[in-house]
Amino acid sequence: MSVFVEKFADIKILRYELPGFEKLSLQQKQYIYYLSQAALCGRDILFDQNNRWNLKIRQLLETVYKSFTGNRDSDEFKALHLYLKQVWFGNGIHHHYSTEKFKPTLSREAFQQLLAQADLSELSFQDELPHVLDVIFNPELDAKGISLDSNSDLLKASAMNYYQGVEQQEAEAFYEAKRKSVPEHAPSFGLNSTLVKDGGELKEDVWHCGGKYGKAIQQIVGWLKKAAPFAENDLQKEVIAKLVAYYESGDLKQFDDYSIAWTNENEGLVDFVNGFIEIYGDPLGIKASWESIVNYKDLEGTKRAIVLSENAGWFEANSPVDPKFKKAEVKGVSAKVIHVAMLGGDCYPATPIGINLPNSEWIREEFGSKSVTIDNITQAYFQDSLGNGMLEEFAASEAEIQRAREFGQLAGNLHTDLHECLGHGSGRMQPGVKPEDLKNYYSTLEETRADLFALYYIADEKLLQLGLVPSAESGKAEYDAYLRNGLITQLTRIELGKDLEESHMRNRQLITRWAFEHGKADGVVELIKKDGKTVVQINDYARLRELFGQLLNEVQRIKSEGDYEAAKALVEAYAVKIDPQLHGEVLERFKKLNIAPYAGFLNPELKLVTGSNGQVADVAVEYQSDYSAQMLHYSEKYGFLVK
Ligand code: ZN
């Protein structure tokens, strides 16, 4: 399946696969099916949360798009379609990332001429049409979705729809008083309501079955109830029952009950998030946007993680680290890897690549949290990166390109597994030494250590013996990719003249620069010119592995002894500064590739397949390839809040 679907403005649309879905039991598949329906029912809530005109604007644009009788190939109609695609992507009139309002590429007059050739008779808000056009075309109106400019009233400066007629100070005081009234285990006050000023008084319009957004929430609840009989275990059933009770009452204490049950459920293969969860859409960080993700455990990835965990002792014993810094006994951590089966609300089309919930601090402290990475989304990004010209532009040779295509994905996954399951858990501190001893250099050094552990072992024969890789070529593919990224391509994310700040980026440059410098005399790694462009060429993979081992030994020593001065010297020498000439060249080359900086995903469509006896026999996965068609379909089938 090709991953890339289409590109418009600064956006690319990709699609993800559902690996191993066919191996799930019929019960699990049906569970996913019903949860997925529930995941799609809250889309309109998010549109309304983002801005009070969003649903009307979407409806107007879709009505014109569908009923327009004029020339659909004209520039004006194409401009309307482009604007509609952006509105779909942003779940409203603001960019999902910058939250700037989209600027249509046609004029108000041209837009009105399109309206004249469309059937608007079904629109219920004819009298408001002039104002709706003002919101679309006047750049001053609702200019920014979320303003974090502390010189102004954040609620007045932001176009989100979580507060009505309320000033920032009033809202803050209102919730401060609520929080003070409950000293312990306080629910997340304000999470699920619009705060409204009514006759001088502040009131919460709570989002629940019988209140605001009720029509959509009732649908969500209906599908959750249908999902419940297919749950894999009793705790999952309890999770659903608690979520339903909360959606019915709007009581945030019940949301906490649900969150605790959800955090405790780790046995099932299938899991989901459905609710008012993240607070990034509210400049005050109180109110949560609606989102949903349905997912299942990655069976292959889980198997890999188990094999590595079972052999954790061997890896520790055979590492190039000084024995006095090794653990006598190690336990590998099972990395939790999932695949998404459906994205909804604030996870669609732009989606996270990991989940770390619940957000409630006291629940995290007392009950822990779930932290997972989403494998099929990461895979889709990887696949896309093979097709966008990056590899051809920055690889040193045809052989390197071939290796990346054949082994890059598996190698990348294995690197992550080794890093997460074994790397971070390896090694031993000397008595009295604490991580804090390395201060601001700790996280860079710790990521460096875990990456070096992974790099050292990814080229080890042991992986072949364990059946985790098909050939030694996968180790080479990872070395190619790691050096290419660390020395060159990650620079595309940094502005010219700036230093590296983020600890993962620093750790990658630290490792690659160090290996480059220390292998220079022997020509282990070279920066060469290919058609006048700088590329990384590895001449001696075995020697490079030895260098990784040598640096791992040193970084482990620094951590184990808490040697702050050595940590500082290493990071400052290799991880922070960028060669300005190379940086400029890389940015120039990257710009020419014209890669869209933001990506989002189409969902597959899941369908119940009925057998000859009239019973459900299977759930079919149909991959979609038309972004506009999926959006129109969702608006028609799940447009519960459009009048
Ligand atoms: Zn890490």
Side-chain angles (χ1 to χ4, degrees):
M1 185 186 85
S2 74
V3 163
F4 180 82
V5 176
E6 71 166 294
K7 177 174 181 280
F8 54 87
D10 56 354
I11 301 291
K12 61 186 164 190
I13 301 294
L14 309 176
R15 47 188 191 165
Y16 57 90
E17 272 187 281
L18 269 54
F21 182 85
E22 64 288 346
K23 288 187 196 135
L24 300 174
S25 71
L26 179 58
Q27 181 189 341
Q28 288 164 334
K29 288 180 188 174
Q30 284 174 279
Y31 190 41
I32 289 174
Y33 172 82
Y34 290 109
L35 292 173
S36 293
Q37 289 296 323
L40 296 172
C41 290
R43 179 169 174 258
D44 281 7
I45 298 176
L46 180 68
F47 268 81
D48 190 71
Q49 289 178 317
N50 285 342
N51 182 267
R52 67 199 177 104
W53 297 103
N54 277 341
L55 285 171
K56 282 176 180 158
I57 290 173
R58 189 188 82 199
Q59 195 189 359
L60 173 66
L61 296 170
E62 287 176 348
T63 303
V64 179
Y65 181 74
K66 285 191 286 188
S67 68
F68 183 69
T69 53
N71 177 11
R72 297 176 84 89
D73 286 324
S74 68
D75 288 347
E76 291 74 22
F77 188 80
K78 282 183 189 157
L80 173 123
H81 190 191
L82 171 64
Y83 179 59
L84 176 55
K85 285 189 203 177
Q86 290 179 297
V87 169
W88 281 327
F89 196 91
N91 290 291
I93 56 176
H94 299 92
H95 191 277
H96 73 290
Y97 192 79
S98 72
T99 85
E100 302 284 347
K101 195 163 77 167
F102 295 122
K103 291 188 177 67
T105 52
L106 77 171
S107 68
R108 182 171 180 150
E109 292 68 36
F111 186 79
Q112 271 169 321
Q113 280 171 17
L114 296 179
L115 291 188
Q117 297 173 77
D119 177 7
L120 305 182
S121 59
E122 299 285 299
L123 287 186
S124 63
F125 51 91
Q126 305 281 353
D127 48 330
E128 289 177 298
L129 215 46
H131 186 71
V132 167
L133 294 191
D134 282 347
V135 177
I136 297 175
F137 289 100
N138 181 349
E140 311 282 311
L141 274 183
D142 289 358
K144 187 104 173 143
I146 306 155
S147 171
L148 297 174
D149 172 10
S150 53
N151 293 320
S152 56
D153 183 304
L154 293 181
L155 301 187
K156 286 210 176 100
S158 304
M160 46 81 230
N161 190 26
Y162 292 111
Y163 304 85
Q164 282 165 16
V166 184
E167 284 173 21
Q168 179 181 348
Q169 284 191 343
E170 294 176 306
E172 282 169 345
F174 182 83
Y175 287 112
E176 190 54 37
K178 276 189 185 274
R179 274 190 292 269
K180 276 200 181 133
S181 69
V182 183
E184 219 172 48
H185 296 177
S188 309
F189 288 117
L191 194 72
N192 66 337
S193 64
T194 310
L195 189 62
V196 184
K197 199 166 183 181
D198 188 8
E201 221 179 302
L202 291 180
K203 278 185 193 152
E204 285 189 310
D205 207 350
V206 178
W207 312 327
H208 66 107
C209 279
K212 190 167 186 179
Y213 303 144
K215 278 186 183 161
I217 297 173
Q218 287 160 22
Q219 294 286 333
I220 295 167
V221 163
W223 289 110
L224 288 175
K225 285 180 176 168
K226 283 186 183 156
F230 299 99
E232 297 168 274
N233 56 53
D234 287 342
L235 193 46
Q236 285 182 343
K237 285 192 179 130
E238 197 184 314
V239 168
I240 291 184
K242 289 190 155 141
L243 180 57
V244 166
Y246 156 66
Y247 270 142
E248 285 174 343
S249 71
D251 179 351
L252 285 167
K253 276 205 189 71
Q254 287 182 310
F255 177 62
D256 283 351
D257 287 347
Y258 149 78
S259 296
I260 292 165
W262 179 83
T263 306
N264 287 336
E265 200 288 300
N266 285 298
E267 291 306 308
L269 227 52
V270 181
D271 201 356
F272 73 102
V273 175
N274 184 311
F276 303 105
I277 308 290
E278 301 289 359
I279 52 178
Y280 307 113
D282 172 7
L284 304 188
I286 294 169
K287 316 226 160 259
S289 61
W290 189 88
E291 68 171 43
S292 184
I293 283 188
V294 183
N295 62 76
Y296 56 99
K297 275 187 192 139
D298 166 19
L299 299 172
E300 287 299 314
T302 305
K303 237 186 276 169
R304 271 199 319 265
I306 290 171
V307 170
L308 290 179
S309 289
E310 283 173 354
N311 289 277
W314 185 92
F315 285 99
E316 183 75 356
N318 289 277
S319 90
V321 162
D322 188 322
K324 70 177 178 237
F325 302 132
K326 285 184 184 180
K327 276 202 176 88
E329 209 180 314
V330 278
K331 263 179 75 188
V333 189
S334 290
K336 285 179 195 150
V337 184
I338 59 168
H339 297 305
V340 296
M342 196 58 68
L343 302 165
D346 222 354
C347 297
Y348 170 86
T351 181
I353 56 170
I355 301 173
N356 191 339
L357 289 174
N359 285 328
S360 162
E361 231 9 90
W362 76 262
I363 297 179
R364 292 174 77 90
E365 273 164 31
E366 290 187 20
F367 299 92
S369 60
K370 285 186 196 172
S371 175
V372 296
T373 54
I374 305 176
D375 186 70
N376 56 344
I377 295 296
T378 316
Q379 265 182 44
Y381 280 124
F382 178 78
Q383 288 298 333
D384 176 59
S385 76
L386 293 183
N388 64 14
M390 276 291 272
L391 187 57
E392 287 74 8
E393 176 66 32
F394 292 101
S397 67
E398 196 48 43
E400 183 180 330
I401 293 170
Q402 283 314 316
R403 257 198 308 274
R405 292 191 181 283
E406 203 170 343
F407 302 103
Q409 190 167 322
L410 172 68
N413 284 342
L414 261 176
H415 179 103
T416 306
D417 293 342
L418 287 162
H419 175 118
E420 300 291 349
C421 305
L422 303 176
H424 280 304
S426 74
R428 178 170 57 152
M429 306 290 271
Q430 295 297 90
V433 178
K434 302 178 300 301
E436 298 86 88
D437 295 343
L438 297 183
K439 298 180 200 167
N440 51 322
Y441 297 108
Y442 176 76
S443 58
T444 296
L445 256 285
E446 178 56 15
E447 293 309 322
T448 300
R449 201 177 63 86
D451 259 1
L452 285 166
F453 197 94
L455 287 166
Y456 183 77
Y457 278 117
I458 199 138
D460 197 299
E461 274 187 15
K462 184 75 176 175
L463 297 191
L464 265 171
Q465 290 162 17
L466 292 172
L468 294 172
V469 294
S471 95
E473 287 292 289
S474 58
K476 284 188 182 174
E478 182 58 22
Y479 283 15
D480 296 337
Y482 196 89
L483 266 69
R484 199 169 59 235
N485 186 29
L487 289 171
I488 295 196
T489 54
Q490 73 165 358
L491 302 181
T492 60
R493 291 156 59 189
I494 302 292
E495 255 177 75
L496 195 60
K498 294 246 161 87
D499 289 341
L500 289 173
E501 304 268 1
E502 199 273 327
S503 52
H504 290 84
M505 294 184 86
R506 282 187 166 190
N507 108 59
R508 289 184 210 117
Q509 180 166 300
L510 194 167
I511 292 172
T512 51
R513 275 275 154 199
W514 189 94
F516 172 70
E517 300 291 346
H518 286 75
K520 223 174 196 172
D522 305 333
V524 178
V525 177
E526 286 178 291
L527 285 171
I528 58 162
K529 295 274 182 185
K530 183 184 83 170
D531 309 326
K533 298 164 175 175
T534 310
V535 292
V536 187
Q537 182 169 289
I538 303 173
N539 295 318
D540 190 340
Y541 288 89
R543 183 74 188 101
L544 179 57
R545 181 174 184 232
E546 286 171 21
L547 288 171
F548 289 149
Q550 207 181 314
L551 184 57
L552 172 59
N553 183 33
E554 171 62 4
V555 172
Q556 181 64 58
R557 181 199 68 75
I558 292 172
K559 182 184 177 186
S560 294
E561 295 181 343
D563 187 345
Y564 173 79
E565 289 304 325
K568 181 179 173 184
L570 203 52
V571 172
E572 295 297 340
Y574 298 100
V576 180
K577 293 286 169 204
I578 305 172
D579 171 357
Q581 206 180 335
L582 176 64
H583 194 188
E585 179 202 318
V586 168
L587 288 177
E588 196 63 28
R589 287 158 66 191
F590 182 66
K591 211 170 135 198
K592 283 194 189 130
L593 294 174
N594 196 20
I595 294 170
Y598 304 102
F601 287 85
L602 280 193
N603 281 319
E605 196 164 330
L606 302 181
K607 285 189 172 155
L608 294 179
V609 181
T610 318
S612 52
N613 57 1
Q615 302 282 317
V616 173
D618 199 5
V619 176
V621 179
E622 291 178 6
Y623 295 108
Q624 305 298 300
S625 54
D626 187 334
Y627 170 69
S628 297
Q630 176 153 93
M631 288 296 178
L632 285 172
H633 172 63
Y634 283 178
S635 295
E636 270 161 35
K637 192 168 175 195
Y638 307 102
F640 301 117
L641 302 181
V642 171
K643 285 172 205 102

